[in-house]
Amino acid sequence: MSAGLDRRGLAVLAAGHACADTAQGAVPALLPFLIDQRGISYSAAGVLVLVTSVGSSAIQPLFGVGSDRLALPWLLPLGVFLAGLGVALVGLTTGYAATAVAVGLSGIGVAAFHPEGARFANQVSGDRRGQGMSFFSLGGNAGFALGPILVTPLVLVFGLRGTLLLAVLPTVVAVVLARELPRLRTVAAEKSAHFERNLADADRDEDDWNAFVRLGGVVALRSCVYFGLQAFIPLWFIHHLGTGEGTGNAALTAMLVAGAVGTYSGGRVVDRLGRRRLVVGSTLVTIPVLVALVLAPSPLTAGLLTAVAGFLIILTFSVTVVMSQEYLPNRLGLASGVSLGLAIGVGGIAAAGMGVVADAYGLRTVMWLIVALAVPMVVLARTLPVTRAERRAQGVAAQAAADAHATAPADARALARSRG
């Protein structure tokens, strides 16, 4: 079998990723409605973000370890179904505790899907794993963007009970995933075997835990910035810039859509620029954009800067997942669980803390706190080493270029003799 991308398999996995993250992206978009209609505080809203983040992120490494040790492909359809079911039930709950339970159920579904989904995406991508993971991640970022796009009109038209309709698409995709599992397992096994046969024993990499931990720190800080914006951008527009709920969620949607575009763009340019260089450069540019966002005087300017911030922050989302897998090549499930889950879950914890800060000191203080968190992110990113896999690929490319340069004069002489 060819070592290239299995587009059918990646399309199904990306669809599952989109549905799982639609449920996760729907929660921040529901917060203004829950604050307005149920009277919850900023702190309580932040705790809901914490609940969904702990459920969807903090326990992902446990599913990742299970994915490394056991075959758990059934987590793919089950995770997508539970993610949609939990967020749909939010509209039926009447008390805060029940709302938190529903959000937590959705988060567990998200956590169950991601490590197994990322492992399969890695395997069905063959020797084009960077591009394959970019496509898989694009599904997730598109899902985050789709969350508020669906939530806002559903709740405005049907009230909070409109969230029930959010379960329809995840249920359909869960059925498709269940039907595709036998084929996915076959393709993944064949492509993984092909990749291993082409990898010389001397080239097999050891796990680099030191670099992996530092990368986890970068992802965690990036998550704090991103989840902070995700939780408070709608509130910033409503209470600081004086817009309505629809405009606030439109700004959030712009950030998430731009993030999806960033994920795709990062996957397209990373092979030319290099993984580490792209991570360092994008994080560095993020800081002045965030400063300008906080200082923006109008909703239009703030909306544009919010989109740019979303693009830059998520530009390296798929890149850091691939780097984590390359730092821990023998533990793909664990690497995916941490880079897609635990490290990102730190952002949910930070968002809950930011809710407390917002209640005590106001939204402006929270926005400047988000800017401040971007600084150590850049500092830590600069300490990351180039992965062994990328270094090896660069060596192969350099050798190919040298060979082409060496044969060019001979080809020119042969052409000259033929013309003579």
Side-chain angles (χ1 to χ4, degrees), residues 57-104:
S57 304
I59 64 174
Q60 269 197 49
L62 299 179
F63 286 107
V65 171
S67 176
D68 286 333
R69 296 183 178 180
L70 304 169
L72 303 173
W74 49 269
L75 289 176
L76 294 174
L78 178 63
V80 171
F81 174 73
L82 290 179
L85 176 64
V87 76
L89 292 176
V90 169
L92 297 181
T93 59
T94 55
Y96 181 77
T99 301
V101 170
V103 167

Side-chain angles (χ1 to χ4, degrees), residues 138-165:
L138 177 61
N141 292 127
F144 265 116
L146 190 60
I149 291 175
L150 293 176
V151 162
T152 301
L154 286 177
V155 176
L156 289 176
V157 173
F158 300 106
L160 282 171
R161 290 182 179 271
T163 59
L164 284 172
L165 295 174

Side-chain angles (χ1 to χ4, degrees), residues 76-132:
L76 294 174
L78 178 63
V80 171
F81 174 73
L82 290 179
L85 176 64
V87 76
L89 292 176
V90 169
L92 297 181
T93 59
T94 55
Y96 181 77
T99 301
V101 170
V103 167
L105 176 64
S106 178
I108 291 173
V110 174
F113 172 83
H114 276 86
E116 197 72 11
R119 183 172 70 86
F120 269 99
N122 180 292
Q123 292 171 339
V124 303
S125 298
D127 56 6
R128 298 167 65 186
R129 298 185 174 186
Q131 184 177 350

Side-chain angles (χ1 to χ4, degrees), residues 4-211:
L5 295 172
D6 179 65
R7 298 186 182 278
R8 174 177 165 181
L10 278 171
V12 173
L13 292 168
H17 198 183
C19 286
D21 284 0
T22 294
Q24 196 170 4
V27 174
L30 283 169
L31 295 183
F33 297 105
L34 293 173
I35 291 172
D36 179 56
Q37 298 181 30
R38 295 185 180 172
I40 67 174
S41 66
Y42 289 155
S43 298
V47 170
L48 288 179
V49 176
L50 172 62
V51 169
T52 189
S53 298
V54 170
S56 66
S57 304
I59 64 174
Q60 269 197 49
L62 299 179
F63 286 107
V65 171
S67 176
D68 286 333
R69 296 183 178 180
L70 304 169
L72 303 173
W74 49 269
L75 289 176
L76 294 174
L78 178 63
V80 171
F81 174 73
L82 290 179
L85 176 64
V87 76
L89 292 176
V90 169
L92 297 181
T93 59
T94 55
Y96 181 77
T99 301
V101 170
V103 167
L105 176 64
S106 178
I108 291 173
V110 174
F113 172 83
H114 276 86
E116 197 72 11
R119 183 172 70 86
F120 269 99
N122 180 292
Q123 292 171 339
V124 303
S125 298
D127 56 6
R128 298 167 65 186
R129 298 185 174 186
Q131 184 177 350
M133 191 58 66
S134 174
F135 187 64
F136 174 73
S137 299
L138 177 61
N141 292 127
F144 265 116
L146 190 60
I149 291 175
L150 293 176
V151 162
T152 301
L154 286 177
V155 176
L156 289 176
V157 173
F158 300 106
L160 282 171
R161 290 182 179 271
T163 59
L164 284 172
L165 295 174
L166 293 173
V168 175
L169 188 58
T171 301
V172 172
V173 172
V175 172
V176 173
L177 276 167
R179 292 176 62 88
E180 284 287 309
L181 278 183
R183 181 183 179 277
L184 278 173
R185 296 181 70 175
T186 300
V187 172
E190 291 177 349
K191 287 187 176 291
S192 294
H194 185 282
F195 183 82
E196 291 296 328
R197 284 195 300 270
N198 289 325
L199 186 62
D201 290 337
D203 289 334
R204 297 186 188 277
D205 293 334
E206 297 294 328
D207 294 331
D208 188 345
W209 286 97
N210 185 288

